[in-house]
Amino acid sequence: MALPANASGLPVEELAFPEIIELNVGGQVYITRYSTLTSVPDSLLWEMFSQKSTESLARDTKGRYFVDRDGFLFRYILDYMRDQQLVLPDHFPERGRLQREAEFFNLPELVKLLAPKLSKQNSLGDEGCQSDPEEPSPGADFARSLGAVACSSDGKCSGFITIGYRGSYTLGRDSQTDAKFRRVARIMVCGKTSLAKEVFGETLNESRDPDRPPERYTARYYLKFTFLEQAFDRLADAGFHMVACNSTGTCAFAHEQTDDKIWANYTEYVFYRE
């Protein structure tokens, strides 16, 4: 009498893996079913977990199976393997990298779903960029319909730039002692790529979004310096003025012995040039 087989094609009694499997993918821990990992025949995960022995598979210090890939993007790989459907958040910025992960895990149908689409205007659509295309603003369409140009005679164009930073400070008991501020770790820049490059030039770190076209928007740039006043001076010299700001703060930690409280805050400044 033949033994019953599961999705991997192996008899149940010959499987070397439990029904529930723990994975460590790039430092991120995932817990899933064996049937999910073997749901796509001939994929890399199918090959890994259809073996009769586990000796060839790498493990971390806690015995979890280790895969040296992007732990954040693996959640979308795992979602796809559950029902063979691709569902991504709106304005997903890592489509190109996810396609590379799909190629590594040998998921050809997922690679096709992630491939850049052809458009009528260009041989390659906008999906080849690192971020999804932004929706055009109604104001921009109206300006184009009137033939208006939102740039001055010297080539400087209008627009917004947002400066943001995260910081922390320590406050003593009953707020009676002076607050101790920590230095700003990173100043982030959001706005149109061309405006950000015009204002900050060589002091702009573009490593997180290096191929962004000048007419597109980004929220992934940050500055190579950590002085807010220096950023403000550059914006003022370029003709920008502050139009809004906001800040939030939360008590991240309280010292049990001294009652000192460490507060974490995030602040944004919005600048505009007409």
Side-chain angles (χ1 to χ4, degrees):
M1 176 177 170
L3 295 173
N6 71 348
S8 67
L10 293 175
V12 173
E13 292 187 2
E14 296 183 15
L15 292 177
F17 303 94
E19 179 59 25
I20 305 300
I21 294 179
E22 291 189 36
L23 299 174
N24 179 345
V25 183
Q28 299 290 324
V29 176
Y30 291 89
I31 302 177
T32 187
R33 290 184 175 275
Y34 173 83
S35 56
T36 300
L37 296 175
T38 56
S39 62
V40 181
D42 299 321
S43 66
L44 178 63
L45 292 171
W46 180 87
E47 292 179 357
M48 290 175 58
F49 293 98
S50 294
Q51 304 179 43
K52 295 183 179 180
S53 173
T54 64
E55 295 180 358
S56 62
L57 300 180
R59 293 176 182 256
D60 65 9
T61 56
K62 294 187 177 180
R64 294 179 289 234
Y65 297 103
F66 179 74
V67 182
D68 190 15
R69 299 300 294 183
D70 191 309
F72 172 78
L73 294 177
F74 185 73
R75 70 182 64 185
Y76 303 110
I77 298 292
L78 199 58
D79 281 345
Y80 172 79
M81 297 193 70
R82 290 188 176 108
D83 52 18
Q84 279 71 64
Q85 293 184 2
L86 175 64
V87 180
L88 297 176
D90 294 337
H91 308 293
F92 182 68
E94 307 286 356
R95 198 179 186 94
R97 294 181 60 192
L98 181 56
Q99 182 181 359
R100 186 174 61 186
E101 295 298 301
E103 293 171 352
F104 174 83
F105 286 103
N106 196 21
L107 299 169
E109 294 302 318
L110 180 57
V111 172
K112 291 179 182 178
L113 293 173
L114 292 166
K117 298 179 182 178
L118 295 176
S119 64
K120 296 180 179 180
Q121 293 80 8
N122 302 300
S123 59
L124 186 65
D126 286 337
E127 290 184 5
C129 298
Q130 289 191 356
S131 300
D132 288 348
E134 295 88 353
E135 294 295 331
S137 63
D141 292 337
F142 179 69
R144 282 195 294 269
S145 68
L146 297 178
V149 179
C151 296
S152 62
S153 58
D154 59 359
K156 293 184 177 181
C157 300
S158 63
F160 290 89
I161 289 182
T162 300
I163 301 295
Y165 77 93
R166 289 183 176 86
S168 63
Y169 57 92
T170 303
L171 198 61
R173 180 185 299 176
D174 299 327
S175 304
Q176 297 300 315
T177 58
D178 293 336
K180 300 177 181 179
F181 289 88
R182 297 184 180 182
R183 71 180 183 88
V184 176
R186 178 176 291 179
I187 301 175
M188 290 159 285
V189 179
C190 309
K192 199 170 186 177
T193 301
S194 58
L195 288 179
K197 291 182 178 181
E198 174 200 334
V199 174
F200 297 107
E202 295 297 326
T203 64
L204 191 68
N205 192 319
E206 307 171 40
S207 60
R208 297 175 64 197
D209 203 357
D211 301 320
R212 174 66 65 191
E215 72 278 3
R216 301 288 295 279
Y217 291 81
T218 182
R220 298 171 64 84
Y221 290 164
Y222 62 93
L223 300 178
K224 297 178 181 179
F225 54 83
T226 58
F227 298 100
L228 283 171
E229 294 79 7
Q230 188 174 350
F232 294 166
D233 286 342
R234 282 182 168 268
L235 286 160
D237 292 341
F240 285 81
H241 62 277
M242 188 186 302
V243 295
C245 67
N246 67 82
S247 182
T248 60
T250 57
C251 184
F253 174 78
H255 198 283
E256 295 180 357
Q257 297 179 353
T258 63
D259 288 338
D260 287 351
K261 295 181 179 179
I262 299 178
W263 290 78
N265 69 291
Y266 178 74
T267 304
E268 284 185 339
Y269 303 94
V270 182
F271 291 81
Y272 178 70
R273 182 173 68 187
E274 295 182 358

